Amino acid sequence: LHYDNQFSNAVNEYDAPKIKNPSQNISIKRSGEFFAVEQRRLTDLSADTIFLHMESMRVKQYKWIIKCLHMKKQGRQAWLIDKYTGIHTVLDLSSESNTYSFDVVNLPASYASDRFMIVFKQPTRPPLAITGITALRNADMSISVNWNVENETSVKEYELQRGTDGLGFTVIDVLNEIN
């Protein structure tokens, strides 16, 4: 996918349809069509989603390498979203080396054609900033977590989660906004 202000968001001769092969296939899905190459207007990137499409994936480990060249803009953010694991990986928009390893196992959600997407957002207000966080073990062996934030606007609640492996997390409490 190539973003530049000289391109149109309409499908045209600069976009290359995906020609499927008998093995594994990766493409960009847009308006029901599949592309190997697609070009879009950069100025429309403030709220865009790239739907990645996979077919005929084998049971094995794969790795996405996502190059974000000339995409950095104040406040612009992007995430690779893995719907199977629920992991949202922040992409560095000035990096050629965003990598994400993933496994395809013998479960339908693992090899679902719509498992991945890249979401771009351009916030209209300053992002929430965590300015301090502490976690202390209490005498009864429970844990107390305290944090401070700045720019807490439009925050409905906070989810406190616990995890043991850095991949899977369980919600253990939901708290109202601080301010």
Side-chain angles (χ1 to χ4, degrees), residues 50-133:
I50 302 168
F51 296 97
L52 302 172
H53 184 82
M54 307 186 311
E55 286 185 43
S56 304
M57 303 305 283
R58 295 188 178 124
V59 174
K60 66 181 240 179
Q61 186 173 63
Y62 293 89
K63 182 189 292 188
W64 288 110
I65 300 173
I66 302 169
K67 298 180 180 187
C68 300
L69 303 174
H70 314 294
M71 298 184 78
K72 187 84 170 160
K73 181 179 177 186
Q74 180 65 35
R76 181 180 290 153
Q77 300 170 310
W79 298 266
L80 173 67
I81 297 176
D82 183 339
K83 294 191 324 187
Y84 172 64
T85 64
I87 296 174
H88 295 202
T89 303
V90 175
L91 298 176
D92 180 349
L93 295 178
S94 60
S95 175
E96 289 190 42
S97 61
N98 288 288
T99 60
Y100 180 78
S101 295
F102 66 98
D103 292 311
V104 170
V105 296
N106 200 13
L107 293 170
S110 166
Y111 54 81
S113 63
D114 65 345
R115 177 176 170 176
F116 292 99
M117 65 180 133
I118 299 173
V119 176
F120 293 93
K121 298 270 186 202
Q122 182 76 38
T124 56
R125 56 181 149 269
L128 174 80
I130 298 175
T131 58
I133 188 166

